[in-house]
Amino acid sequence: MESMRYLALCLALGVIAVWAGENMFWFNPPEGLRPVDLAITVIAYAIASGVGLSLVIWTGVGGLPAAFLGGAVMGYMVEGVIVGTIYDPLPFFWVWTPLAWHALISGGLVLGVGRAGAVLGPVRMALIWGALGLGSAFWAQYWPSEVTDGEPLATTGVLALYLVGFGGLVVLAQVGMDRIGQLPRPPNAVLWIAPVIALLVWVAQGVADLNPLRVLLPLVMVLLWWVMRRLGQGGTRVSLGAAVPVWQHALVLIAPAIAVVLAPLAWAQGWGTLSANVAVAMATCLLSLVWLGRLIWRAARR
């Protein structure tokens, strides 16, 4: 039973991570995107999330630090194993996007804050998701500059299906985590599945691309493991937070709904040439580094 709950939780985390880290990030869906493509992406993200979840279980870290650090692990698995973007020459990519988006937004905000609805209450949650929606509409103003010649921007209806429609799966994922409630520690053989898959892919890619920067990924993972272990409280169960009504989880749809309405209106006004990516990247990189620095400081003081 613990193993099935663990696998279900990996899938739920994969859904949340794809919506927050792919749909809300890329915003304008690529032409020809099929449901099967999203399903494959969810599976890949579920494996990456499984690595983070296994480390959370092994170290016993909990609360928002678990969501942020687990999101960081997931982010480095996505960017360092699945796509390999962090091996570009600039060190900037070791923060953007593994920490600045996957850890901060996908992990800390959408998952961590999203699981705190019982503490924050519906009014504050609605305000948080409203702020995310406004930020997403601003972020969307960068993407028209990335659209290739002849490729149209998505219509409002397509955006609604891509962002709000897929967001409905996020609500179901949160409800599923409510049903799980607490996850008793699965057998180690199960906890090793995702990390072993990620390791094998990383080794295969390293053989195919002899980039010396690849050796930095294990060092980053060791740092994250050390912080998680120092902050961990031990125990044999992972708490997923208190359950809330389904309608309260559905408040997360406020964010994509606002973005879907405002972004095309701003595109029509010619705002699609804004360098929103620079502003968002600078702000999120700074916030994520500050958060990680505080966690490292707390870990060192223990």
Side-chain angles (χ1 to χ4, degrees):
M1 182 62 71
E2 292 84 359
S3 299
M4 294 304 298
R5 289 181 177 180
Y6 170 85
L7 295 176
L9 184 53
C10 287
L11 182 60
L13 293 173
V15 168
I16 292 172
V18 168
W19 180 78
E22 289 288 328
N23 295 42
M24 294 293 281
F25 179 85
W26 295 100
F27 203 89
N28 190 63
E31 281 193 304
L33 181 66
R34 302 168 298 170
V36 66
D37 299 324
L38 285 173
I40 293 172
T41 306
V42 168
I43 293 173
Y45 268 78
I47 295 172
S49 298
V51 180
L53 178 58
S54 290
L55 282 177
V56 167
I57 293 172
W58 278 324
T59 59
V61 65
L64 273 178
F68 175 80
L69 293 168
V73 172
M74 179 271 293
Y76 281 107
M77 290 299 97
V78 170
E79 306 299 337
V81 176
I82 296 177
V83 296
T85 56
I86 59 175
Y87 305 119
D88 291 334
L90 292 176
F92 167 72
F93 292 107
W94 287 85
V95 179
W96 174 265
T97 57
L99 286 178
W101 198 283
H102 295 298
L104 181 68
I105 297 177
S106 301
L109 179 57
V110 178
L111 175 62
V113 175
R115 295 302 306 165
V119 176
L120 295 174
V123 174
R124 278 185 286 186
M125 290 300 296
L127 292 174
I128 290 170
W129 299 136
L132 177 61
L134 293 174
S136 297
F138 173 74
W139 165 248
Q141 300 316 301
Y142 163 70
W143 288 106
S145 64
E146 288 290 296
V147 175
T148 57
D149 293 338
E151 181 182 346
L153 290 168
T155 63
T156 301
V158 172
L159 285 176
L161 181 62
Y162 181 62
L163 299 175
V164 182
F166 195 93
L169 298 180
V170 174
V171 177
L172 293 178
Q174 293 282 22
V175 172
M177 283 191 274
D178 282 352
R179 296 294 180 89
I180 294 174
Q182 291 188 347
L183 177 66
R185 177 169 176 157
N188 276 325
V190 174
L191 295 178
W192 274 108
I193 293 175
V196 167
I197 292 174
L199 176 62
L200 292 176
V201 173
W202 177 76
V203 170
Q205 290 180 342
V207 172
D209 178 21
L210 299 177
N211 187 337
L213 291 177
R214 288 186 175 274
V215 301
L216 295 178
L217 182 60
L219 299 180
V220 172
M221 295 302 295
V222 168
L223 172 63
L224 292 173
W225 167 82
W226 175 80
V227 175
M228 296 167 79
R229 182 172 178 271
R230 295 286 290 180
L231 298 179
Q233 302 296 323
T236 59
R237 292 175 179 268
V238 175
S239 175
L240 301 178
V244 300
V246 176
W247 67 264
Q248 189 168 335
H249 282 307
L251 293 176
V252 71
L253 299 179
I254 292 174
I258 290 176
V260 164
V261 171
L262 295 184
L265 291 176
W267 292 341
Q269 300 300 318
W271 293 2
T273 57
L274 292 177
S275 298
N277 60 324
V278 175
V280 172
M282 289 178 62
T284 55
C285 283
L286 178 61
L287 288 173
S288 62
L289 286 173
V290 169
W291 194 347
L292 179 61
R294 287 176 59 87
L295 293 175
I296 291 175
W297 175 252
R298 284 176 52 192
R301 294 191 64 183
R302 288 196 174 189

